Amino acid sequence: GIRVHTYADQPIAVTYTGPGITTSGGGGKGIQAASASGSVTVDVSGSINTTNGSNAVGILADSGNLLATASGVDHGPGLGIPAPTVSATTTTGAVEVNTNASVTAAGNFGTGIRATGGSGGVKVNIGSGASVMGGWQADLASVGELSGLPASGVFLGVTGGGTATLTIDGSIGALSDRAIAGDPVIINNRTVT
C-alpha cells in the first residue's frame, strides 16, 4: 500500500482518494504512516482491503512508538542501510485518522485501524457511510506475532497522558467480535457490532 515514515520530529499527512488499495500476504498494510514524534494525519476516501494474510492492518498511524521499536527492520533485510537511533517518546504530535470509506482486514489477527501516540493524543473518526472490519483469532488473549495486536476493528492507544477518542458515524465490527480495543473515549452515533 502506502508507507510514509520519518525518523525526525516531522509531521506526516497522507490523503488517499483513489479507487482502492488491496494488499496480500502476512503483515500487509494498506496505509502505514509513522513519525518518531511528529504529528500524523491520515485522510481516506478510497477503500482499503487487506484481507489476504495474517497480522494485516488496514490503516496504521503512529507517533512516538513504532519507529523506536522497529530497530531498522523497516529498511528491509540486505539493503545495507543502517537504522537511525530512535528512542520511544511519550511527547508526540497529534495522531488523527479520518475515513469515509470501507477499511477491511479480515484475516487472522487483522486490525482495521491502528492509531497510537503519546501526549498529542489520538483521534479516529469513522465517517457516515464508512465501515471498518477487523479479523479473527482463535482465543481471547493472544496477539499477532507481527502486529502485536489482538484482532479488532479499531485499536487506539496512548502513552504520556494523551487521550484517545473514537467517533463513530459509520460502522465498526470484527470477525472476532472485538470491534474496539485499547482504551478510547467512544462517541458512538451509529453501529458497533
Side-chain angles (χ1 to χ4, degrees):
I2 297 171
R3 189 162 108 179
V4 183
H5 291 176
T6 177
Y7 287 92
D9 182 12
Q10 298 285 331
I12 292 175
V14 176
T15 300
Y16 179 71
T17 61
I21 296 173
T22 301
T23 67
S24 61
K29 312 260 183 329
I31 295 176
Q32 178 172 320
S35 175
S37 61
S39 64
V40 176
T41 304
V42 178
D43 293 303
V44 174
S45 59
S47 67
I48 297 175
N49 184 344
T50 59
T51 58
N52 183 3
S54 66
N55 291 272
V57 180
I59 298 172
L60 185 154
D62 174 78
S63 180
N65 298 293
L66 296 178
L67 295 184
T69 60
S71 310
V73 172
D74 294 326
H75 292 281
L79 295 180
I81 302 171
T85 303
V86 180
S87 299
T89 181
T90 59
T91 304
T92 66
V95 174
E96 184 168 348
V97 175
N98 304 297
T99 183
N100 289 302
S102 168
V103 178
T104 304
N108 190 22
F109 292 109
T111 303
I113 296 174
R114 172 188 178 157
T116 50
S119 62
V122 174
K123 292 181 182 178
V124 173
N125 302 302
I126 311 300
S128 176
S131 66
V132 178
M133 177 60 73
W136 62 275
Q137 63 189 74
D139 59 36
L140 293 175
S142 296
V143 296
E145 67 276 1
L146 295 177
S147 67
L149 298 173
S152 60
V154 176
F155 179 90
L156 284 84
V158 292
T159 56
T163 301
T165 304
L166 172 62
T167 303
I168 307 161
D169 290 316
S171 65
I172 299 175
L175 298 175
S176 66
D177 291 333
R178 184 183 288 123
I180 301 166
D183 191 21
V185 173
I186 300 170
I187 302 166
N188 183 18
N189 300 315
R190 288 297 299 267
T191 306
V192 176
T193 304

